[in-house]
Amino acid sequence: MHPPLLVTDDSDLLDDLVRLSAAAGVALDVAPDLRTALRLWAGAPLVLVGQDLAPDLAAQATPRRGEVFVLARDEPDFRSAVALGARDVLSLPEEDDQVVELLADVGDGGARSALTIGVTGGSGGVGATTLACAVAGAAARSGRVLAMDLDPWGPGVGRVLGVDPLGLTWRELVGSRGRLGSRALRDALPRQGDLAVLGWGEADPTVDEVAVRDVLAAAQRGHDLVVVDLPRREDPWVEEVAGRCDHVLLVAGCSVLGAASAMRALASLRAMSGSIQLVARTSGRAVPADVLASALDLPLVACLGQQRGLDEQLDLGLGPLHNPKGAVARAAAQVLERLAR
């Protein structure tokens, strides 16, 4: 992967960016002239253009690309920034921290986007939150995973996983605006090894789609997998996240009533996501899992059976994977085998 590109002939600005890139732990390609800048322009994951060369570079009709920022030490030149297609003009030293976050994101993988799986229930009590937590916990054995709680009326993913609740929650993120750094998000969240948790804390159960979009984007840049516990209700922020999930798992009970509830849930889910998969809750089933899948016209990705002692294990903070051979662990393994890329 190419390093970020700094386009400037300003020695003071160069000194500043060398310091900031060292803080972010990444190296820089430096273009002190237009010819070098144009040669490196397309391949860099991030381009930072000093205001000293921004007007001349804009006059070259450079190809439009993402992740371009103009750096200003004096009065910002927004006209050149617009001509370059820049996302923003950052004033130094006031916005040094944001530059470090941009550079750190490149060090974390840049424009990568984590596989994102949403999990919701076709009705209450089918174990959607438990399954979401189990999938996240199982995946964290081999990569960086975020379990994101978007169901403020559920038990809470942190509580189900038995993760210490101290750290960043939705309470601090509600109302936030602007690009959120993936490293800053990951470092601030409660975690258990490579498994991070974003929950509600004591927040009023309200978020907005703009904050959710920014947080999800940062989460996807900084993790290998994001698992979202989705509520069974329609809200703009639920639609925002469901639409950005690679897959949405619908956990439905294998009964006539379970099928009826799941059909109602599907009516709204199909408008949000193009990839909905079924996890059949098979405990006490009156309808076979394959028949339920056929009735719902959904691919069957896993079966979730009854697990003895699960409630007690969760109450003790042992997590849904305490029994590695239990029904929950098997269902999580089936989901990852089918959906993980």
Side-chain angles (χ1 to χ4, degrees):
M1 182 177 179
H2 297 286
L5 173 63
L6 171 64
V7 182
T8 185
D9 193 33
D10 182 332
S11 59
D12 291 335
L13 181 61
L14 176 58
D15 288 343
D16 286 343
L17 265 294
V18 168
R19 171 178 55 83
L20 297 178
S21 65
V26 298
L28 287 173
D29 270 342
V30 179
D33 54 67
L34 300 184
R35 182 177 180 181
T36 306
L38 292 172
R39 178 171 57 84
L40 300 175
W41 181 263
L46 169 70
V47 178
L48 304 174
V49 182
Q51 192 154 281
D52 59 311
L53 292 183
D56 294 337
L57 190 59
Q60 298 296 311
T62 54
R64 289 299 178 106
R65 50 152 297 154
E67 297 301 298
V68 176
F69 295 81
V70 173
L71 305 180
R73 298 175 62 86
D74 300 310
E75 189 68 23
D77 178 9
F78 290 102
R79 180 176 298 179
S80 297
V82 171
L84 284 170
R87 287 187 54 181
D88 203 355
V89 177
L90 303 177
S91 297
L92 304 183
E94 293 82 3
E95 296 181 286
D96 278 5
D97 289 346
Q98 186 167 347
V99 175
V100 172
E101 289 292 350
L102 289 168
L103 294 168
D105 277 354
V106 174
D108 280 346
R112 74 176 181 183
S113 183
L115 176 68
T116 304
I117 300 174
V119 185
T120 190
S123 60
V126 292
T129 298
T130 300
L131 179 67
C133 292
V135 170
R141 295 166 180 164
S142 58
R144 294 183 298 191
V145 178
L146 172 62
M148 180 183 290
D149 192 348
L150 272 182
D151 186 0
W153 299 274
V157 296
R159 185 173 289 107
V160 172
L161 285 163
V163 174
D164 191 321
L166 295 178
L168 187 71
T169 68
W170 282 114
R171 181 177 186 176
E172 292 79 33
L173 291 169
V174 169
S176 65
R177 294 294 183 269
R179 192 178 193 275
L180 179 63
S182 63
R183 180 179 294 182
L185 176 66
R186 193 176 69 246
D187 289 347
L189 291 171
R191 67 177 52 256
Q192 190 177 76
D194 281 333
L195 174 59
V197 172
L198 176 55
W200 293 93
E202 300 302 319
D204 177 48
T206 302
V207 292
D208 62 86
E209 59 267 35
V210 177
V212 167
R213 183 188 309 130
D214 292 340
V215 171
L216 181 60
Q220 289 172 325
R221 293 194 305 271
H223 296 84
D224 301 304
L225 174 68
V226 177
V227 181
V228 186
D229 185 23
L230 294 169
R232 291 186 301 109
R233 58 177 289 168
E234 295 183 46
D235 276 304
W237 41 273
V238 176
E239 297 175 13
E240 180 70 37
V241 174
R244 293 171 183 265
C245 288
D246 296 290
H247 306 283
V248 173
L249 300 180
L250 177 65
V251 185
C254 286
S255 66
V256 174
L257 293 179
S261 296
M263 285 178 180
R264 286 197 295 271
L266 271 175
S268 58
L269 277 179
R270 291 195 192 279
M272 301 180 202
S273 173
S275 179
I276 305 170
Q277 319 259 357
L278 174 66
V279 174
R281 183 62 191 265
T282 57
S283 57
R285 61 187 177 189
V287 176
D290 58 341
V291 173
L292 177 65
S294 178
L296 297 175
D297 192 23
L298 292 178
L300 178 63
V301 69
C303 291
L304 177 60
Q306 183 71 27
Q307 181 170 315
R308 182 180 299 177
L310 178 63
D311 290 344
E312 291 81 2
Q313 292 163 12
L314 298 181
D315 286 345
L316 291 171
L318 300 176
L321 299 176
H322 181 68
N323 180 356
K325 296 183 179 180
V328 176
R330 291 197 302 271
Q334 290 170 358
V335 168
L336 291 173
E337 183 179 355
R338 290 284 299 274
L339 302 185
R341 61 186 183 218

